[in-house]
Each structure stands twice: as C-alpha cells, then as structure tokens.
Amino acid sequence: MSSTAAAATQRLIVGTHTSPHDVLGAHPAKVGTETGAVVRAFHPDATAVEVLVANAAPVALVAHGGGIFEAFLPGAAVPLRYRFRFRFADGHTWERDDPYRFLPTFGDLDLHLFGEGTHRSLWRHLGAHVRRVDDTNGVAFAVWAPNARRVSVVGDFCGWDGRLFPMRQLGGSGVFELFVPELEPGALYKFEILTPQHTLRLKTDPYAAAMERQPGTASRVVAPSTYRWNDAAWMTTRKSRRDPAREPMATYEVHLGSWARVANEGNRSLTFREIAPRLAAHVRDLGFTHLELLPIMEHPFEGSWGYQVTGYFAPAARFGTPEDFRFFVDTCHQHGLGVILDWVPAHFPRDDYALRRFDGTALYEHDDPRRGEHPDWGTLIFNYGRREVANFLIANALYWLDEFHVDALRIDAVASMLYLDYSRSEGEWLPNAFGGRENLEAVAFLRTLNDTIAADQPGCFTIAEESTAWPGVTHPTREGGLGFALKWNMGWMHDTLGYFAREPVHRRHHHDELTFAMLYEHRERFVNPLSHDEVVHGKRSLLEKMPGDTWQKLANLRLLLAYQYTRPGKQLLFMGTELAPHHEWNHDASLEWHLADDPARRGLARFLAELGALYQAQPCLWRTDPDGSGFAWIDCADRDSSIVSYERRDGAAHLVVVLNLTPVPRDSYRIGIPGSGDYVVRLDSDASEFGGSGHRAHAPTATVEDVPWQGHARSVVLRLPPLAALVLEPA
C-alpha cells in the first residue's frame, strides 16, 4: 500500500474521511507486469474477510490493521461485481454486497439545482430511496451536512455502528451519499455526523418519508408508493380552479388525535384508515366543503398539537403509514371534500435528534439567537436567506400537494416570520440591511413559495394565519403582495367573539364590534376563523362564551354561525362546534360525542347542516366575496335594538339577512328591500327543529310593500324571533 493510500486509509480508520470510495471498493491496479483490481474492505471487528466473485473461488483479503483488508485480483476489470464475507471472533459471518462499488446515485443536475435552491422535487433525491442499481436492489441515502467532517448512515442493519457505512461527499455541495445494497423497506436508520468540533451527533433524516413510532426517533426506509388513487375526477377539476376566493369554502378544522379515540384500547387515537370514512361522511353531512388538519407531520409532543415538527416529510406514525395517509386524502376527495394541511415553516423545535445544529453548526437556523430563536415558543427559526434551507421548505410544501394530493396549505404563524422584532424587546433583535424590522428573507421566501405552488400545482393554494396589518398578504406577488390566496381574519374573530360574549342588554354599547370589520373587509381576501385557538387555555368553549341560560347560549351560537356564514369571507369551524360542549377542547381525549344524543344538540347539528347546504347552494354567499359589490348594509345603525340587516349579491341574485342580537322578539320590524316581489324565509335559526322557539312558525313569507325605507323604494315588515337570524330570498 502506497504512503498516499496509507494516509487515506488512516483517515478512514479514525473516521474523518469524506470520500471513502477513494479507498474502499474495487480500483484498477497493477502488480509488477500484471494488471487487475485491488479490492478493499473495512470492518474494525472482523478477523478475516473474503471477496466473492461469480464463477471464481473466494479470495482471502490481507489484513492491514485497524479493520482494513485488501486483496489483488489479477485480470479483474473495474467496474467489478463482488461480495464480501466477513468473519468474526465468535464464529459468525456476515456476507453482503459492497456499497463502495457503486457510482453516485445523486446526479450532477440535482446538485446544481439544490445549490441554486431551485430543486422542486428534492424529496425524490435527498433522504432514503429504494432503488435498483446495477441490477442490485438497495437503498440510496443522501443528506446535506456541509460542515461535517464525516457522515455515516447507521441503522438496525449494521448494529447502529457509525464506523461501517461512511458516506462520500459530492464535491463542494455538502451532500453526502451512499447506496447500501440489499437493504429493504422498513429498515430503521439515522445519520451519524462528526461535527467540526469532533463530536458525534446522531440525527434523523430531514427528508425521511416515515419515522419510528414515538418514543422512538429513528427514520424508516419507505418503499415507493403503489397506492391506486380513486380521485381522478377531483384532481382534474382541481387543475381548472383558478380562484378559491370565488368558490364556496366552509372548513371543518380537525385535530386527528382527539376527534375520536378508542376507549377500550388504552384511549388510543384512530388511525388514518379508521378515521377517514367516518370523518369524511360526518363533515360532508354537516355541509362543509373542506377539512383542515392540524399538522400531521411527525412531532414528538402531543401538547404541541403538531406545531413543533421533527419530521417534515413524514406523516405521523401514530396515525399510520404514508400509504394510509394517501387513503385518507383519497377518501375525503371521494366525499367531495378538499383537504387543507396546517404547515409550519415559521420555526422548529430544539429536539437534538432533529434539525437543531444538524451538522454541528447552525445549518437550518440562524446562529445568532436574535435571529434564530423564537422567544414565544422556545423554538428555532429557519434561515430563509440560505438557498438550501428555502429549497427544503418549498420542496416540502410541494411534496404534500404532489405526493398526497393535498389541496391547500394553511401556513401557521406568518406574522412571526414577517417581523424581526416579533415578541422581542429593544436590543433583542437585529434590523434588516436597511435598518427596518421586516424580515426581507422571509418575505422573499413566502413570495417564491406561493409563486412556485401556483406554477407547479395548479388549483392548489395557500392560506396565511397572519394577525397584523401587513399590506397585501393576499395580493399577487407581481403587485408587491405576498401571494397568498386567503388570510385568516383575526380581527373579525376577536371583535365578533367579544361582542357575542356580552350580555344582550349591553350589546347596544358595543355595536361597532360587530360592524367594524366591514371597513377593511376588501383589503384582503379573508377566512372567518373560529378555530382551535379560541377554545383552549381558559378561553372557554364557544357555547360557554355565550351569555344566558343554556337555551340562550345555543340560540346565540346559532346566531353567531349564521352571521359567520352569511357575511363575506370563507368559513372555518373547529371540530366539536356541532356538539356545543361546555368544556374546552382537550387534545388528550375524544370529543364529547355523548352530547349528540341531546335533543338541543341534535337541533344545532341540523341547523349547521342546513346552513352549510344553503351556503353552498347560493353563489351570492361566496362568489363575490372579493368584491365590494357582493355585500351592502341595509341597516347597521340600529344599535338601540341591536339589529343589523344586509344583502349579499351576485349579479341580480341576492339574499337578505337580518340578525336580531337580543332575546327580545320584534313582531313589526321594517327593513328596506332591494327586490320588488315577495320574499321567502330560507333559513330561520329560531325554528323549532333547530331547538329554537318557533316564533315564526306561521310566517314563511314576507310581503313587500311600496313603502320607501332605508334607501330602498320598497320594504317589508318582519316578525323577528329572539336571538335569531333570518335569511330571505326573492320568492
């Protein structure tokens, strides 16, 4: 062995060689006048090694110390197919194909695109992929760790010994790669990384398609998908959709782990396959169009509700496999439901087995805590200005839309991404290059993300949870906006819940809380959310926010829902609203399904279903949401009676909505009417079948009179039920 080879071999032995293929494997060689190949193997615990070549007798390798074995094969040509047989002191043997005889499985174009930060299908190349190379089945591993002194793939297939499968670094890309032959799907693995500080870190694969069931933290090799989709009609229609703001969207928000549990099996959560048909049918029957999942990516802590992700490409193993999640989405589509995933690019947890200081340096996060640490959640903030990190996140977004047919992403905590001083005091944050508080790298990332989704996944869209007055969140990027399709209207939610929590006798003094949101309604494209965040941490359930006795609470809740559905904007309700529980949501328990047997709750569920059906059937309640022409107050000034009325319009078609926000019936209440004929009451939230008083039981129509009122040439006199909403349509 030459001095150069000896030096390289020593680096391999001590675990600092970043190109083990230069030493190990088969290499052309010449001994004297005879040409052939030299083969080298490495196993520190082996006592002897033989090389096995087809149609030839086994050849013993010579031990060179430190676990290095070598043999010259006269006449052999490279590339060469062979296997090694390792022998150990206890008498057992291990025979395997040699990972170091294979060419790289990560292509030059992929490296180039990754370096640019523009690789849109990165999940197909980084991570672990079952492949057939040189007529040999195995798994191709690739990981980005640019500052590592050595990276090895370890797993249950090698006794988690980081000495055995060191990976090669591909040029200056920072990508390490290795093809491990004969490895099969299901194998558990991690990456062992020698850091610049000469410490070892054992890391899960950032691109792992599956992970071990908690409390285990290993990544799992996944076979290529063989799932046969049954949603072709849905997917074809999806591609033709251009503007979700002009389509109906009533969303049922779900935490999968607590929608329903199996009490007689340790209170476990339902799996993707168990919950899919039940949940989809339930949500469809209640009149919803979409189902939104709190994050189902792998996460270790149930109390984070999925918002502290450790496996961005892995559906949570507690619910099943990636194929199981495909079944879940497919089932929803077959029930006519779109699927929205909550997605968390704002921050990631500090769990040391995951992204934190991945290669011993601040790789995915900022090194400076004034940029890299989140003060609210104790988490770390992505470095959006680093091309490879932005590529990781954008590819992850595309992954869920492409591989799992997910229809939209609701992006969590956007406000925390946009502002460098978010939740920070003076001196705790660093300004941008222009001295401002805006996170310019995050802004650029969000714009690129939204443009990429629009280009690569037609019909898919994003929703921002953004709680500030940042301008143009839902405006196109070409106009300087962020490019989101929709934004949660947190102001509407706050003001509206504040109003409904007040005793009706006091509502006259807070009328503006109900009407103020219309002043900014058309600056953005909104979702009206009554989400999980509003029914936890002492905020009380929706029912318990309402004043009065139980009858009045339920009447107020029906009234709130009618207002939500009939005003501009899309709708979102958290699971269990149909049950009207007295208790807050508990992520460790099922919804209180026993409440469904209560007649009052059955009435509420029936009302919600009727409301959803009316909403979907009436384009004037959704098609003109982005337009000022789609909504007009009839009267928003009657604060003394706490009554508001408005119309929703789509061309000539229109509805009239009247809300009586007190328990006082109004038997002769006149409002102006835009139409000329009589009106039919399409929905009465006080109807007896909904649990109401039935105050209008014998008044299904409203006769128009030629009496000018409230700016209209005609008007009607209505009999308004207590704490109720009426929706009227021209007869």
Side-chain angles (χ1 to χ4, degrees), residues 278-499:
R278 291 174 54 183
L279 178 60
H282 179 75
V283 171
R284 178 201 60 199
D285 292 347
L286 287 174
F288 290 94
T289 64
H290 290 73
L291 186 152
E292 179 176 327
L293 301 177
L294 273 63
I296 52 85
M297 301 80 181
E298 194 62 72
H299 55 281
F301 177 47
E302 292 284 354
S304 78
W305 310 332
Y307 290 100
Q308 296 197 7
V309 179
T310 51
Y312 273 82
F313 288 82
R318 55 175 70 86
F319 302 127
T321 68
E323 297 292 73
D324 294 337
F325 185 57
R326 289 182 172 92
F327 173 85
F328 177 93
V329 177
D330 199 3
T331 301
C332 290
H333 286 172
Q334 292 175 61
H335 282 75
L337 296 169
V339 178
I340 304 169
L341 283 191
D342 275 16
W343 186 57
V344 192
H347 60 117
F348 60 92
R350 294 174 178 269
D351 298 71
D352 203 50
Y353 63 84
L355 294 180
R356 176 182 174 269
R357 300 193 73 84
F358 187 78
D359 63 359
T361 68
L363 192 61
Y364 286 87
E365 69 271 37
H366 283 277
D367 196 26
D368 192 318
R370 292 173 293 178
R371 285 279 181 92
E373 296 183 3
H374 202 294
D376 283 352
W377 304 308
T379 51
L380 301 174
I381 299 171
F382 284 103
N383 184 350
Y384 307 105
R386 191 161 194 167
R387 293 189 300 271
E388 297 90 345
V389 174
N391 200 163
F392 166 80
L393 290 169
I394 290 173
N396 183 244
L398 294 173
Y399 169 77
W400 295 103
L401 304 175
D402 184 319
E403 294 283 342
F404 298 98
H405 293 195
V406 166
D407 301 290
L409 300 174
R410 178 266 195 184
I411 300 182
D412 183 63
V414 171
S416 74
M417 299 172 65
L418 294 175
Y419 297 98
L420 296 168
D421 63 345
Y422 186 89
S423 287
R424 299 178 189 271
S425 301
E426 187 68 31
E428 296 178 347
W429 60 281
L430 294 176
N432 62 34
F434 302 100
R437 58 195 285 256
E438 301 81 10
N439 189 334
L440 302 179
E441 291 83 2
V443 171
F445 161 74
L446 291 171
R447 287 172 173 162
T448 301
L449 169 74
N450 287 323
D451 284 345
T452 302
I453 288 174
D456 281 28
Q457 297 293 328
C460 294
F461 58 94
T462 57
I463 304 167
E465 187 216 13
E466 202 285 313
S467 55
T468 74
W470 185 282
V473 172
T474 59
H475 294 196
T477 58
R478 64 180 178 273
E479 298 174 6
L482 295 183
F484 288 93
L486 297 161
K487 167 184 171 174
W488 275 22
N489 193 339
M490 309 298 281
W492 172 86
M493 176 275 297
H494 180 270
D495 290 347
T496 301
L497 289 181
Y499 178 88

Side-chain angles (χ1 to χ4, degrees), residues 252 259 282 286 288 574-581 591 593 596 601-602 604-605 608:
Y252 187 88
W259 187 74
H282 179 75
L286 287 174
F288 290 94
F574 187 52
M575 65 181 194
T577 300
E578 67 275 24
L579 299 174
L591 295 181
W593 289 108
R601 266 69 175 198
R602 284 202 300 270
L604 174 64
L608 189 55

Side-chain angles (χ1 to χ4, degrees), residues 598-616:
D598 172 43
R601 266 69 175 198
R602 284 202 300 270
L604 174 64
R606 189 177 299 118
F607 170 73
L608 189 55
E610 290 288 334
L611 182 61
L614 174 71
Y615 172 74
Q616 291 192 51

